[in-house]
């Protein structure tokens, strides 16, 4: 489930929770979800290995990825330390967020795209995308989907929106 849903704009965490509830598995824990995301992280690093090694030559992109990840780290820490994260792991929350953010993704994808990473990704746009990424802490909100949505709202094309999303996923995962 994790291997398929992580790379689509659907929430892999939500699917793990739903399957655990559907089959009455007692193993639906945050620790298991984190362990499964480690596999996704390794796959992304392997796929983007050429881009990642090129980051040494492209300090701007590396800096932007780090800056774009800061909001997620801060809010993730707050949700974890306050234990609010456990309240969000609820089927009703998953259902509503999946529906709502699926509709938002649809509308963002209708926009024209004329921006690309090499010339248009800047600190303002990466912070905007990073702030959207915070929403992915809620099960049902796909991290890939919400970051692609934000990039599409900024008029990045689909390929570059996906690339931005996956590069931002490395610190997130």
């Amino acid at each position: 489930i994790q291997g398929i849903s992580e790379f689509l704009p659907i929430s892999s965490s939500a699917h793990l929770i739903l399957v655990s509830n559907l089959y009455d598995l007692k193993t639906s824990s945050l620790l298991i979800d984190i362990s499964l995301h480690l596999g996704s992280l390794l796959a992304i690093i392997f796929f983007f290995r050429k881009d990642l090694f090129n980051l040494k030559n492209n300090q701007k992109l590396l800096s932007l990825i780090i800056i774009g990840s800061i909001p997620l780290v801060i809010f993730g820490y707050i949700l974890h330390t306050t234990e609010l994260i456990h309240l969000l792991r609820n089927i009703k929350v998953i259902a509503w967020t999946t529906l709502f953010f699926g509709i938002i993704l649809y509308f963002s994808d209708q926009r024209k795209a004329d921006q690309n990473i090499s010339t248009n990704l800047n600190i303002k746009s990466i912070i905007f995308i990073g702030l959207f990424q915070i929403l992915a802490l809620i099960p049902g909100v796909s991290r890939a989907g919400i970051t692609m949505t934000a990039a599409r709202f900024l008029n990045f094309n689909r390929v570059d929106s996906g690339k931005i999303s996956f590069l931002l996923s490395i610190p997130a995962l």
Side-chain angles (χ1 to χ4, degrees):
I1 293 166
Q2 174 68 23
I4 294 169
S5 60
E6 179 62 34
F7 303 107
L8 298 173
I10 56 175
S11 175
S12 60
S13 296
H15 282 79
L16 293 171
I17 293 168
L18 290 173
V19 168
S20 293
N21 284 328
L22 181 66
Y23 291 107
D24 201 26
L25 301 174
K26 302 299 181 209
T27 58
S28 175
S29 75
L30 196 55
L31 183 59
I32 290 173
D33 289 2
I34 291 169
S35 300
L36 291 170
H37 280 85
L38 180 61
S40 300
L41 173 62
L42 294 174
I44 291 168
I45 289 172
F46 179 77
F47 185 81
F48 285 106
R49 66 188 179 279
K50 291 178 184 172
D51 293 309
L52 293 172
F53 289 125
N54 190 29
L55 285 179
K56 289 186 253 179
N57 299 327
N58 191 348
Q59 293 298 316
K60 178 186 172 198
L61 184 58
L62 177 60
S63 299
L64 291 174
I65 290 169
I66 292 168
I67 290 167
S69 299
I70 291 172
L72 182 73
V73 171
I74 292 169
F75 280 87
Y77 177 76
I78 292 168
L79 280 178
H80 179 70
T81 57
T82 60
E83 297 191 7
L84 290 173
I85 191 73
H86 299 291
L87 296 175
L88 297 173
R89 296 172 64 82
N90 175 313
I91 291 181
K92 289 181 182 177
V93 170
I94 291 168
W96 284 109
T97 55
T98 300
L99 176 65
F100 181 72
F101 289 106
I103 292 168
I104 290 176
L105 176 58
Y106 171 78
F107 284 113
S108 72
D109 197 45
Q110 303 305 307
R111 298 174 59 94
K112 65 177 178 70
D114 58 357
Q115 308 284 351
N116 62 50
I117 290 177
S118 59
T119 57
N120 301 108
L121 188 63
N122 55 37
I123 195 158
K124 182 180 170 185
S125 60
I126 203 69
I127 288 173
F128 180 79
I129 296 167
L131 289 172
F132 264 66
Q133 188 172 228
I134 292 170
L135 296 169
L137 294 169
I138 304 168
V141 180
S142 164
R143 196 214 52 79
I146 200 66
T147 52
M148 284 188 243
T149 298
R152 295 291 288 152
F153 275 130
L154 294 173
N155 298 324
F156 283 93
N157 64 48
R158 287 180 180 173
V159 172
D160 283 349
S161 294
K163 189 170 185 176
I164 292 166
S165 174
F166 286 121
L167 290 172
L168 275 175
S169 75
I170 293 171
L173 291 174

